[in-house]
Amino acid sequence: MRKIKYKKGKKIQPTLLEYTGVHKYTQTEIQLFVYNTDDLAEFSEFDVNEIHKHVDFTKINWLNVHGLNDLELIKSIGDCLKVDNFMLSDILNTTKRTKLEEYHDVLFFNIKSLLPVENSDTIAVEQISFLLKNGILASFQEKRSDFFTHIRERLRTHSGIVRDKKADYLLYLLLDSIMENFYITIENEEDKVEELINLSKTSTNPQILEQIEKHRDNYNFLKRSIIPLRDSLYSIKSMKDDNVFNAIESENYSFFERLHQKCLELLEQIEYDLITLESASNFYFSTQNHKMNEVMKTLTVVSVFFMPLTFIVGVYGMNFDNMPELHWKYGYFVILASMVVLLIGMVYYFKKKRWY
């Protein structure tokens, strides 16, 4: 089975735009929401050069991009938002870890979205990046997905407080939606591990141990994905004290603190599940050892039963002339009966001692 791990980061010059992901044939699409408490406008399939015609800086603007193959389009978006090329390069380079960066008036955030692959033990990875600047939130996804469908519906139906808040609260909702995928992935892993534990109690198939190691790799991969996210969210918490970056309103820092707390909870759950996997592995080996001991115990008891009988047969198998029992009429029957009585006596004695 393929071991899930981070790919080695591809070395790309900061000014060079090159998409390094696997969704190389996904068509790039753009969706724009412009809203405030009283109004909402939704745009799609428009020329990126006309963004300024639709963006309203008196309102909140959410620009969502699906597909990162059209490098010229990505470059045009960067020019419209006045974002440096090194940030666009980080958006397109999917081999990098989760990170948070502040640069002048721009907050850059990228995150790994993880989901289990159906009918498989592997985990699908997608990088999602965000640019927050002056009331504009731009999100970049490698492919079309339904991660944010419920948020779009909340905007359209004016549900909750999302349209009453600024773009930083929208960023919180998007990050929270992505983090829900971690819970789904962990829950899926836990269900499979529970099946493995139950199977290990009834089967000695060595593939069970391979599956245990596979899921241990998956948990370690989840852990490596969440730790940098935890650190990035902690950095957002630290911005509140620095008071040098105003992309996030002070009253909304508490929402990002919730996300940080969720990361801690996820890591605690992963540690617990790793201990459970270790217990399952130990249980498997204990079961194997117990069954081997039972086999060795049975073979030992059988060998002990036949040791005195073999001794008697060996004695009377010697070719000496001066052995009176060999010339006795009932010698064969007496020796045979003695062997049966000895065997029954040993069985009774072993049974009484509970040696088998």
Side-chain angles (χ1 to χ4, degrees):
M1 295 184 179
R2 182 177 65 89
K3 181 179 179 181
I4 293 181
K5 60 182 179 179
Y6 276 116
K7 296 180 180 178
K8 184 178 180 180
K10 186 175 181 180
K11 294 182 179 180
I12 298 177
Q13 295 180 2
T15 57
L16 178 63
L17 300 184
E18 179 182 349
Y19 174 57
T20 62
V22 298
H23 305 284
K24 297 185 180 297
Y25 302 102
T26 302
Q27 182 179 357
T28 303
E29 301 175 355
I30 303 176
Q31 186 180 35
L32 175 65
F33 286 88
V34 182
Y35 65 90
N36 59 14
T37 303
D38 303 317
D39 188 29
L40 170 70
E42 182 177 348
F43 306 94
S44 60
E45 299 181 0
F46 60 91
D47 188 347
V48 67
N49 296 318
E50 298 180 354
I51 287 181
H52 289 297
K53 295 181 180 180
H54 304 293
V55 169
D56 186 346
F57 289 99
T58 64
K59 300 179 180 179
I60 306 303
N61 304 268
W62 175 24
L63 181 68
N64 191 32
V65 180
H66 296 102
L68 305 178
N69 299 310
D70 193 335
L71 301 183
E72 290 300 324
L73 189 147
I74 300 298
K75 181 68 167 59
S76 298
I77 294 176
D79 293 339
C80 291
L81 299 180
K82 297 181 181 179
V83 175
D84 288 345
N85 267 14
F86 80 90
M87 287 190 178
L88 298 180
S89 179
D90 286 344
I91 291 173
L92 297 172
N93 189 356
T94 61
T95 62
K96 291 194 173 183
R97 299 171 74 238
T98 295
K99 71 174 183 177
L100 171 75
E101 283 187 349
E102 304 172 57
Y103 189 73
H104 296 318
D105 58 345
V106 180
L107 178 68
F108 172 76
F109 201 122
N110 75 342
I111 182 175
K112 304 293 183 182
S113 176
L114 308 182
L115 276 176
V117 178
E118 189 175 357
N119 300 323
S120 174
D121 290 332
T122 58
I123 298 176
V125 185
E126 178 186 353
Q127 177 171 289
I128 301 178
S129 304
F130 301 97
L131 293 172
L132 180 62
K133 175 182 179 179
N134 297 333
I136 300 178
L137 176 62
S139 56
F140 300 85
Q141 300 176 244
E142 292 189 69
K143 60 183 180 66
R144 177 173 287 278
S145 59
D146 57 355
F147 299 158
F148 307 142
T149 300
H150 65 290
I151 298 177
R152 296 187 186 94
E153 289 302 317
R154 288 176 64 177
L155 287 171
R156 292 167 182 148
T157 60
H158 202 342
S159 300
I161 61 173
V162 58
R163 281 175 52 178
D164 301 326
K165 291 283 188 178
K166 297 291 183 65
D168 54 344
Y169 181 77
L170 177 61
L171 174 62
Y172 155 73
L173 290 180
L174 300 180
L175 291 174
D176 185 58
S177 178
I178 296 172
M179 289 185 64
E180 287 300 317
N181 295 339
F182 287 103
Y183 286 97
I184 294 173
T185 305
I186 291 177
E187 184 178 356
N188 181 75
E189 288 293 316
E190 288 176 340
D191 291 341
K192 291 182 178 180
V193 168
E194 184 177 357
E195 293 177 3
L196 277 177
I197 293 175
N198 294 332
L199 188 60
S200 65
K201 297 178 181 179
T202 58
S203 174
T204 58
N205 191 331
Q207 289 187 353
I208 294 176
L209 189 59
E210 295 179 8
Q211 291 292 321
I212 289 175
E213 293 303 317
K214 173 64 178 179
H215 289 292
R216 181 179 284 112
D217 289 341
N218 286 354
Y219 276 121
N220 286 326
F221 177 70
L222 280 163
K223 188 175 179 180
R224 294 197 306 270
S225 300
I226 295 173
I227 286 177
L229 175 60
R230 176 202 63 187
D231 296 339
S232 297
L233 291 169
Y234 182 79
S235 298
I236 291 181
K237 289 174 57 178
S238 302
M239 292 178 186
K240 182 178 181 181
D241 300 326
D242 295 340
N243 197 28
V244 295
F245 192 73
N246 58 3
I248 299 176
E249 293 187 334
S250 58
E251 62 182 15
N252 290 335
Y253 279 102
S254 60
F255 297 112
F256 293 93
E257 291 176 2
R258 295 180 191 176
L259 296 181
H260 181 259
Q261 185 61 36
K262 280 189 175 183
C263 284
L264 298 179
E265 293 173 358
L266 287 168
L267 289 172
E268 289 178 0
Q269 186 62 37
I270 289 174
E271 290 295 338
Y272 173 80
D273 291 336
L274 283 172
I275 294 174
T276 302
L277 267 180
E278 187 67 28
S279 300
S281 180
N282 294 336
F283 182 84
Y284 176 83
F285 285 116
S286 298
T287 302
Q288 293 287 83
N289 291 334
H290 177 72
K291 291 184 178 180
M292 182 178 293
N293 291 337
E294 287 296 316
V295 172
M296 296 301 297
K297 180 179 178 180
T298 301
L299 293 176
T300 302
V301 170
V302 172
S303 299
V304 171
F305 284 161
F306 281 92
M307 283 177 62
L309 305 183
T310 304
F311 174 76
I312 294 174
V313 170
V315 169
Y316 286 100
M318 293 186 294
N319 296 320
F320 290 105
D321 291 334
N322 191 18
M323 294 184 70
E325 294 87 350
L326 295 179
H327 305 286
W328 185 30
K329 179 180 179 180
Y330 299 105
Y332 169 75
F333 302 103
V334 171
I335 295 300
L336 192 61
S338 300
M339 293 171 65
V340 172
V341 171
L342 179 61
L343 180 61
I344 294 174
M346 292 180 64
V347 170
Y348 173 77
Y349 181 77
F350 279 33
K351 192 74 173 178
K352 186 176 181 180
K353 290 291 185 178
R354 296 183 178 178
W355 288 353
Y356 69 94

